[in-house]
Amino acid sequence: MDLTLKVWRQDGPGKPGEFREYEAKGISPDSSFLEMLDVVNERLVEAGDVPIEFDHDCREGICGTCGVMINGHPHGDQKGTATCQLHMRKFNDGDRIVIEPWRATGMPVMRDLIVDRSPLDRIIEAGGYISVNTGGAPDANLIPVPKPAAESSMDAAACIGCAACIAACPNSAGQLFTSAKLAHLNLLPQGQPERYARTIAMVETMEEFFGSCTNHGECEEACPKSISIDNIALMNRDYIVAKFKDRRKAGQR
Amino acid sequence: MTTLDAKVPAGPIQDKWTNHRFDMKLVNPANKRKYEIIIIGTGLAGASAAATLGELGYNVKVFTYHDSPRRAHSIAAQGGINAAKNYTNDGDSIYRLFYDTVKGGDYRSREANVYRLAEVSNEIIDQCTAQGVPFAREYGGLLDNRSFGGAQVSRTFYARGQTGQQLLLGAYQALARQVSLGNVKLFNRSEMLEVVLHEGRAVGVVVRDLINGEISSHSAHAVVLATGGYCNVFFLSTMAMACNTTAIWRAHRKGAFFANPSYTQIHPTCIPVHDEFQSKLTLMSESLRNDGRIWVPIDPDDTRAANDIPESERDYYLERIYPSFGNLAPRDVSSRAAMRMIDENRGVGPLKNGVYLDFSDAINRLGKDVIEARYGNLFEMYERITDEDPYDVPMRIYPAPHYSMGGLWVDYNLMTNVPGLYAIGEANFSDHGANRLGASALMQGLADGYFVLPYTIADYLADWLNVKPVPTDHEVFKEAEQEVDGRLKQLLSINGTRTVDSFHRELGKIMIEYCGLARSKPGLEKALAEIPALRDEFWKNVRVTGTEDNYNSELQKAGRVADFFELAELMCRDALEREESCGGHFRVEHQTEEGEAKRDDVDQAHVSAWEWKGFNVPQAHHKEPLEFENVALAQRSYK
Amino acid sequence: MTTTGRRQDTKPARRVPWIIEFYRSDVAKKWIMALSGVILLGYIAAHMLGNMKVYFGPEEINHYGEALRELGGDLVPKTHLLWIMRIGLTAAFAIHIHAAYSLTRTNLKARGRVRYDVPREYLAANYASRTMRWSGVIVLFFVLFHLADLTWGTTNPDFIRGDVYNNLIASFERVPVAALYIVANLALGLHILHGVWSLFQSVGANNEVYNKWRRYLAWGFTAVIVLGNLSFPIAVQLGIIS
């Protein structure tokens, strides 16, 4: 199949950028979207040009490295699919595809389609962990976890940190990511001692970088793991409870 | 040729690790902050080591070429992690896990290391659970287990089909905590390009900032390489696009011995190649073999759709050949069986390059819901890639390079032969012998990072108390920086006509053809003639566009492929030298009448470690003899 | 690229009163918007129900107006309780607006100047959710007009203080005013349609079992309010009440 690509090109952080058009001819419908870009890039190099830089790694939809805006949809318009798992058979011969990087003040473009997602690491560093040093853990079966809680925790923990939720949000809010990370730990018994301190630290760090939630639900639609915005509600409640609770007297629970 | 000393402690196998922990030197808590440690890589091994060393109080610098530590390829492991908990009451024990792993590795691993691995496996599960890894649970709230290839007990802990992801997130979170506490300094989008030695010991590294191309040096008392495996030498593999050999290869060029490079694992359940432009193969977890049945049509000319072929005309070959393990035969065994079926022209799919993995029996027996709960995400992934619904038609699978058992040679303390240079996780060679069992990679990465290296590194560091690290303006660093810079400039200046990928693809074809599932003397000799020729062409005719001072993926790839050429040559030489078949290494000259691997325990029961002697000069061959005091060497049988 | 941990570069603890520190958080602002929204929704419902008395004739509605002023009976001085309610309502209204304004600014800043080239095709966000800012502004101006029209009488030449029934008819008899009321109430409908659903998210009231009812409730509540409110100008225009 033959395609026309309109791609954002930017030479480096803070540099001006522009859209450029490329022809992608003879693409196999069985290729993945990123394989299509590989083909375009290989031809660019053969022609002596600089290839289109994009983030990618595992190409199995799990590492969360890849992610671009495809025709106005984060990761393309197939639901629950990361860019690397999107296949060209979902497009038609002759299509014009606009490829843009994620856009948000908190995630500036580093090069072409690559953005800086390190604020997500900052959010985790603020409290997205259970403080347990190596070696001090009790036998694993001493901590029973009700199966439904383990399941909902796992639903949230499936987040791959690709930032499509932020890219999709009209407010560039980081709520789905942050709430998924919080729900993963806050729903488990192991996560209780730090539950409220964690929530405050992560929410307030998130707010330093990103916008606020207006409950559109676009993030859930864009999420390659279809993580539910119910997690956002849980985060909101935990945050408010955390703010009102006397944690010294009441304990953490 | 010298004989290597692995420094395995004396005593009965059960006591070796305990005694060794007591015998090793310690660094007292107040002194730990006087030490600098560099860790390269943030996968399971790197992140867990960085977190643990940070907790202990060392100053740790950790480097990753990803934008976040959480993206390392450990994240893609699907099936699970083994531990000898015996929660299922089916007769498991540390000794049995040890025994299975040595046997699974086709008796080419170091007994003491494997025993230690089995010993700490239980602590890993405890640690990860405490960190909040959402392992699968029974209704009573306790941990669930499943069975896995190469074992007759259920000892595999899992988190849906995303166990690697969840374990890595656990380690990453522990690392993030240490970063926030200031104990660990994290450098992302930074690729290590050189190990720096001073007076024979590792004192630091040279890294390149991938965003602005800046080259910088970092010094430390010890350097730990946790940079994963090198299967991308085959171009098409299940490894992530960026996985490479550069870090361990640079260390090898500086004197670290490379052990058993030819031991690579070909995983039986990957999605078959569909066309020329494919960049990457996708793994379907081995756990699928718990419920899926593997078959091919009996008649090679059968062109009917899978569901139209009646039961009587199907050959469930694993169940036929290996009745006791059946579809759960170990990876090397089932990969070779699949290869034989395809060689007999009984392959399925448009390119006749796959075998069926059929779930219809399991769906009929357990219901679609149960299968969906167990493998839903894998089925979805399969459907995305192939456009076929595995609930209705059987999956098509084919073996693909997946894991490299070989790596830098390390002693019992996980230190290479270069003092101060450690290799952990997949980057070392130690625990899996010639074949890795399913769900053991995660176990080994975390064992090394959480429970082994943090003890053993102190034994080395204790001698360097109050010695400052070599300053980064020392000439050894300046020289290394110049070398790195010169190499990058050289790659950029060739300005030939072929892309890096075209070379990589060609190298991959040579490797999979001659050094893949089956290896032969003439084939390997052919490869050893073709690879240097291709390498020379690369250095004359590669085209790398862009500049050095900017994000430049072509330049990154070029550096990695250049190292793959040298590694490929060594892999073939190692495969040629090893005159036996064992595990992932199958020499067609050495097989039983039934086509099974035939080991030579008299002449080949050793680790081959290779010493760099210079560019285009064959490496020197060293041996570490393997002694089996606890496991009786036997022909591996899964029948 | 070097990255540093959060705790090292975090600002020293903020020395401001708790409530201000609380209000600085966007999540808290949304919570306050939800709570003030509930107060305003309660008022809207009571207002609409009270106004239904217009269908029972002038005495009923005028008596209702008087009763509001005498709220609290003999226990409090006349109109005091009403004023307390008015102040509370105004405060809720003001903080609702301030939070919305402040969050909008945060969000515009978070989104940055460079927008996507391809117009977004929204999948989950509906018309109501995306127009909250505009429907909110329309409702604000409408409320000001409504107060001037029927409370202060400044825009109503036939205004007689205390004669609710007469004022209402006099106002709604003018076609442009009736049209304005209809448009403004449709905007209010859009606003509360998203608001009622959204407030459950903001306060974190969330349970798989009843989550679907949040949408139904939003639709039901909005329908009752909008139909009720629209009935007054329409009834006057059609001459059902005069």
Side-chain angles (χ1 to χ4, degrees):
Chain A
M1 55 204 286
D2 298 339
L3 305 155
T4 310
L5 308 181
K6 184 182 170 192
V7 187
W8 179 260
R9 300 302 302 265
Q10 181 172 332
D11 205 34
K15 302 239 175 82
E18 59 174 8
F19 282 98
R20 264 183 243 158
E21 298 222 351
Y22 300 91
E23 297 295 323
K25 291 203 192 306
I27 301 294
S28 156
D30 285 331
S31 295
S32 72
F33 192 83
L34 297 183
E35 283 165 354
M36 182 274 292
L37 282 180
D38 289 341
V39 171
V40 172
N41 274 347
E42 197 159 358
R43 289 174 191 165
L44 280 175
V45 174
E46 278 164 1
D49 282 337
V50 177
I52 302 161
E53 300 289 4
F54 58 95
D55 259 336
H56 65 104
D57 200 26
C58 78
R59 302 214 173 177
E60 294 179 16
I62 192 77
C63 73
T65 313
C66 67
V68 288
M69 208 71 177
I70 301 165
N71 287 339
H73 295 285
H75 293 302
D77 69 353
Q78 190 178 7
K79 198 170 155 55
T81 307
T83 305
C84 59
Q85 296 288 286
L86 181 68
H87 279 68
M88 296 314 291
R89 62 178 84 92
K90 298 286 170 193
F91 295 86
N92 300 313
D93 189 33
D95 274 0
R96 189 161 176 279
I97 306 175
V98 184
I99 309 172
E100 302 173 72
W102 295 157
R103 296 279 188 203
T105 309
M107 298 191 296
V109 176
M110 308 292 274
R111 181 85 205 261
D112 295 350
L113 303 172
I114 299 175
V115 298
D116 178 12
R117 283 175 291 202
S118 46
L120 304 189
D121 286 332
R122 301 294 88 75
I123 294 171
I124 301 298
E125 284 157 14
Y129 44 74
I130 289 170
S131 297
V132 45
N133 281 0
T134 304
D139 185 88
N141 263 353
L142 286 177
I143 314 168
V145 182
K147 194 174 168 72
E151 293 293 323
S152 16
S153 169
M154 182 62 215
D155 286 341
C159 166
I160 58 174
C162 65
C165 45
I166 300 166
C169 179
N171 307 322
S172 298
Q175 308 253 344
L176 191 63
F177 169 79
T178 312
S179 68
K181 306 313 289 178
L182 278 167
H184 162 205
L185 300 173
N186 285 0
L187 290 171
L188 293 172
Q190 302 95 299
Q192 297 313 309
E194 292 169 290
R195 177 175 187 163
Y196 296 111
R198 171 187 305 124
T199 308
I200 288 180
M202 288 177 73
V203 165
E204 291 180 358
T205 307
M206 168 189 83
E207 289 177 352
E208 287 175 36
F209 296 99
F210 300 114
S212 86
C213 180
T214 45
N215 303 326
H216 288 301
E218 282 296 313
C219 48
E220 182 180 316
E221 290 297 317
C223 178
K225 297 292 155 192
S226 299
I227 289 171
S228 166
I229 56 170
D230 289 357
N231 292 312
I232 298 180
L234 183 70
M235 174 182 81
N236 290 341
R237 192 180 61 199
D238 276 0
Y239 182 78
I240 300 300
V241 171
K243 282 290 190 185
F244 281 92
K245 194 161 183 151
D246 181 348
R247 273 175 277 134
R248 286 182 65 218
K249 300 276 165 54
Q252 281 282 328
R253 278 166 200 268
Chain B
M1 193 195 301
T2 49
T3 301
L4 291 164
D5 175 16
K7 300 187 184 120
V8 175
I13 197 151
Q14 290 85 344
D15 302 332
K16 281 180 197 286
W17 179 233
T18 315
N19 293 343
H20 189 57
R21 276 194 292 180
F22 180 74
D23 293 339
M24 278 187 294
K25 282 171 240 160
L26 295 173
V27 175
N28 96 42
N31 283 336
K32 286 199 174 88
R33 68 177 117 85
K34 296 179 185 165
Y35 289 100
E36 307 273 343
I37 299 172
I38 284 173
I39 297 176
I40 311 295
T42 57
L44 283 181
S48 59
T52 306
L53 293 169
E55 286 160 12
L56 289 171
Y58 295 107
N59 291 306
V60 181
K61 278 184 179 175
V62 61
F63 297 84
T64 170
Y65 55 60
H66 288 108
D67 69 327
S68 164
R70 59 173 295 161
R71 312 228 187 266
H73 200 50
S74 308
I75 206 156
Q78 298 168 351
I81 176 165
N82 285 334
K85 284 280 194 188
N86 194 27
Y87 282 161
T88 47
N89 194 29
D90 54 4
D92 201 6
S93 62
I94 288 171
Y95 202 88
R96 187 178 295 280
L97 176 55
F98 155 70
Y99 181 90
D100 284 351
T101 308
V102 172
K103 178 187 173 197
D106 218 354
Y107 309 98
R108 287 295 174 265
S109 42
R110 197 187 281 153
E111 268 193 349
N113 282 51
V114 179
Y115 193 88
R116 176 177 65 189
L117 175 67
E119 220 177 330
V120 300
S121 68
N122 291 340
E123 292 176 66
I124 295 171
I125 300 302
D126 298 341
Q127 177 65 23
C128 295
T129 304
Q131 282 172 349
V133 171
F135 283 122
R137 300 268 164 181
E138 302 276 10
Y139 280 98
L142 302 183
L143 291 160
D144 191 18
N145 287 120
R146 64 181 169 203
S147 54
F148 233 72
Q152 286 176 311
V153 291
S154 289
R155 61 158 77 100
T156 304
F157 295 79
Y158 66 101
R160 294 196 190 148
Q162 291 129 279
T163 318
Q165 180 197 25
Q166 293 312 314
L167 294 174
L168 181 61
L169 290 181
Y172 156 66
Q173 287 166 188
L175 171 62
R177 174 168 158 250
Q178 294 308 311
V179 171
S180 77
L181 293 169
N183 299 330
V184 176
K185 205 161 177 214
L186 171 68
F187 296 77
N188 67 348
R189 295 200 194 265
S190 298
E191 183 169 26
M192 190 214 94
L193 293 176
E194 196 60 272
V195 178
V196 181
L197 267 53
H198 179 58
E199 292 172 350
R201 61 188 181 95
V203 293
V205 293
V206 175
V207 299
R208 177 171 180 264
D209 183 325
L210 297 182
I211 293 294
N212 60 20
E214 197 180 301
I215 291 166
S216 60
S217 291
H218 300 267
S219 71
H221 292 90
V223 175
V224 181
L225 302 181
T227 53
Y230 51 79
C231 275
N232 272 350
V233 70
F234 295 100
F235 186 68
L236 283 179
S237 81
T238 67
M239 288 196 182
M241 301 300 286
C243 288
N244 65 76
T245 188
T246 292
I248 56 173
W249 195 257
R250 295 286 115 194
H252 173 58
R253 288 178 62 127
K254 284 286 163 102
F257 294 173
F258 206 115
N260 298 337
S262 67
Y263 287 169
T264 49
Q265 180 168 75
I266 313 278
H267 194 290
T269 52
C270 299
I271 302 177
V273 178
H274 56 73
D275 67 22
E276 184 68 11
F277 294 117
Q278 194 159 346
S279 60
K280 158 98 186 20
L281 295 171
T282 303
L283 177 83
M284 289 282 108
S285 169
E286 179 169 347
S287 62
L288 291 169
R289 292 199 277 144
N290 272 319
D291 288 308
R293 296 179 71 197
I294 294 174
W295 62 276
V296 290
I298 289 174
D299 177 9
D301 300 320
D302 205 323
T303 51
R304 286 173 290 178
N307 291 335
D308 296 339
I309 300 175
E311 205 58 30
S312 59
E313 292 175 43
R314 298 175 176 190
D315 179 10
Y316 293 91
Y317 58 88
L318 283 179
E319 297 170 23
R320 173 171 59 83
I321 310 173
Y322 309 104
S324 71
F325 278 70
N327 294 301
L328 287 175
R331 291 177 175 176
D332 54 336
V333 172
S334 39
S335 287
R336 270 198 302 280
M339 182 192 70
R340 285 204 296 276
M341 294 304 130
I342 288 160
D343 287 349
E344 289 168 19
N345 202 26
R346 294 204 277 157
V348 299
L351 302 174
K352 291 196 76 120
N353 62 349
V355 297
Y356 287 127
L357 177 60
D358 197 336
F359 289 89
S360 50
D361 279 358
I363 291 173
N364 291 337
R365 188 176 71 243
L366 304 163
K368 195 180 162 184
D369 296 350
V370 176
I371 296 300
E372 195 176 343
R374 283 184 195 168
Y375 312 111
N377 62 325
L378 298 170
F379 277 37
E380 195 180 284
M381 189 152 90
Y382 182 86
E383 194 269 335
R384 292 267 191 284
I385 292 169
T386 62
D387 211 19
E388 288 176 357
D389 183 358
Y391 293 105
D392 295 335
V393 287
M395 280 185 181
R396 285 177 294 117
I397 54 165
Y398 186 66
H402 170 62
Y403 186 90
S404 44
M405 283 76 70
L408 290 184
W409 183 88
V410 290
D411 61 16
Y412 188 72
N413 293 326
L414 302 181
M415 185 154 82
T416 65
N417 57 305
V418 175
L421 182 66
Y422 290 79
I424 57 174
E426 194 175 350
N428 73 26
F429 87 104
S430 66
D431 297 350
H432 304 299
N435 175 53
R436 178 175 67 75
L437 286 183
S440 286
L442 302 180
M443 174 171 68
Q444 186 225 341
L446 291 179
D448 288 359
Y450 281 134
F451 295 108
V452 181
L453 181 80
Y455 292 103
T456 59
I457 202 167
D459 193 44
Y460 169 79
L461 291 175
D463 291 339
W464 299 95
L465 183 65
N466 294 327
V467 178
K468 288 252 178 303
V470 179
T472 53
D473 54 7
H474 190 281
E475 63 184 280
V476 288
F477 282 104
K478 292 296 143 204
E479 275 166 24
E481 282 178 25
Q482 274 162 20
E483 209 175 299
V484 166
D485 189 50
R487 191 173 139 95
L488 295 171
K489 285 203 166 61
Q490 193 189 349
L491 286 167
L492 282 164
S493 66
I494 297 166
N495 202 20
T497 56
R498 286 183 64 182
T499 61
V500 177
D501 278 349
S502 77
F503 281 106
H504 195 178
R505 212 174 278 130
E506 196 176 331
L507 174 68
K509 276 192 186 137
I510 297 173
M511 289 304 285
I512 199 78
E513 175 82 32
Y514 302 116
C515 200
L517 263 171
R519 296 138 183 206
S520 69
K521 190 161 191 270
L524 289 165
E525 279 167 350
K526 197 154 178 256
L528 279 171
E530 286 179 10
I531 294 165
L534 189 64
R535 182 197 65 206
D536 291 346
E537 197 203 333
F538 173 86
W539 283 105
K540 284 195 197 94
N541 197 24
V542 72
R543 169 177 287 180
V544 182
T545 55
T547 56
E548 200 189 330
D549 60 357
N550 203 338
Y551 191 91
N552 189 341
S553 56
E554 287 297 309
L555 184 60
Q556 295 167 29
K557 279 193 286 189
R560 293 167 190 165
V561 172
D563 289 336
F564 276 137
F565 280 118
E566 294 171 16
L567 168 73
E569 222 182 314
L570 182 63
M571 284 171 70
C572 293
R573 192 168 302 128
D574 183 57
L576 193 59
E577 192 275 340
R578 189 165 281 282
E579 288 283 355
E580 64 166 346
S581 294
C582 58
H585 169 68
F586 187 77
R587 282 283 298 272
V588 293
E589 294 92 342
H590 303 282
Q591 52 181 315
T592 63
E593 279 164 19
E594 296 145 315
E596 298 295 337
K598 203 165 122 192
R599 281 197 329 269
D600 176 359
D601 291 331
V602 179
D603 291 329
Q604 302 291 339
H606 61 252
V607 175
S608 287
W610 300 87
E611 181 188 4
W612 179 259
K613 286 288 178 190
F615 185 68
N616 232 350
V617 182
Q619 276 95 334
H621 186 201
H622 302 282
K623 286 180 184 172
E624 179 201 332
L626 292 172
E627 278 148 32
F628 294 90
E629 293 163 354
N630 298 280
V631 179
L633 291 171
Q635 161 93 33
R636 233 164 26 127
S637 171
Y638 292 95
K639 292 195 171 176
Chain C
M1 194 162 62
T2 325
T3 67
T4 44
R6 215 42 268 137
R7 284 187 193 170
Q8 294 163 47
D9 47 50
T10 303
K11 294 175 288 272
R14 294 178 276 200
R15 292 270 171 231
V16 289
W18 179 86
I19 186 71
I20 293 176
E21 200 227 290
F22 176 67
Y23 188 67
R24 276 183 186 169
S25 154
D26 298 339
V27 169
K29 280 198 189 83
K30 286 295 287 185
W31 184 72
I32 286 172
M33 278 186 80
L35 289 196
S36 53
V38 170
I39 295 171
L40 295 170
L41 288 171
Y43 170 75
I44 287 168
H47 185 61
M48 192 274 287
L49 282 176
N51 284 356
M52 282 293 161
K53 284 187 180 281
V54 78
Y55 292 113
F56 299 96
E59 290 79 38
E60 278 277 339
I61 184 97
N62 288 352
H63 187 70
Y64 164 69
E66 189 56 30
L68 279 180
R69 282 185 279 278
E70 284 169 6
L71 217 57
D74 295 335
L75 296 178
V76 286
K78 194 175 165 176
T79 75
H80 276 49
L81 204 54
L82 183 65
W83 272 108
I84 290 171
M85 284 170 63
R86 278 173 173 165
I87 290 165
L89 203 59
T90 312
F93 200 60
I95 200 150
H96 197 80
I97 292 167
H98 180 266
Y101 166 78
S102 155
L103 288 172
T104 302
R105 292 209 22 180
T106 304
N107 292 342
L108 289 175
K109 203 172 133 221
R111 201 168 149 173
R113 274 175 293 114
V114 191
R115 298 293 165 89
Y116 291 113
D117 187 56
V118 179
R120 288 298 306 284
E121 182 193 321
Y122 290 101
L123 300 169
N126 50 36
Y127 187 75
S129 78
R130 280 180 289 120
T131 52
M132 286 302 272
R133 281 160 203 166
W134 304 118
S135 58
V137 170
I138 292 172
V139 170
L140 168 65
F141 283 112
F142 166 68
V143 168
L144 292 175
F145 170 79
H146 183 51
L147 287 170
D149 190 36
L150 288 175
T151 307
W152 307 321
T154 35
T155 61
N156 192 349
D158 302 319
F159 186 80
I160 302 163
R161 198 167 183 83
D163 190 351
V164 179
Y165 191 82
N166 167 58
N167 294 342
L168 193 125
I169 304 248
S171 182
F172 287 177
E173 267 174 354
R174 298 170 297 173
V175 175
V177 173
L180 179 80
Y181 269 87
I182 291 170
V183 169
N185 270 294
L186 289 175
L188 176 70
L190 272 180
H191 199 79
I192 61 179
L193 180 61
H194 180 66
V196 170
W197 177 82
S198 175
L199 73 87
F200 288 98
Q201 272 297 107
S202 295
V203 301
N206 164 48
N207 183 327
E208 270 179 37
V209 181
Y210 66 71
N211 273 355
K212 62 172 189 281
W213 289 96
R214 303 187 301 191
R215 286 276 180 208
Y216 301 157
L217 178 71
W219 276 103
F221 186 84
T222 305
V224 170
I225 296 293
V226 171
L227 290 178
N229 279 348
L230 289 186
S231 77
F232 306 122
I234 291 171
V236 172
Q237 284 291 321
L238 295 180
I240 296 169
I241 44 175
S242 56

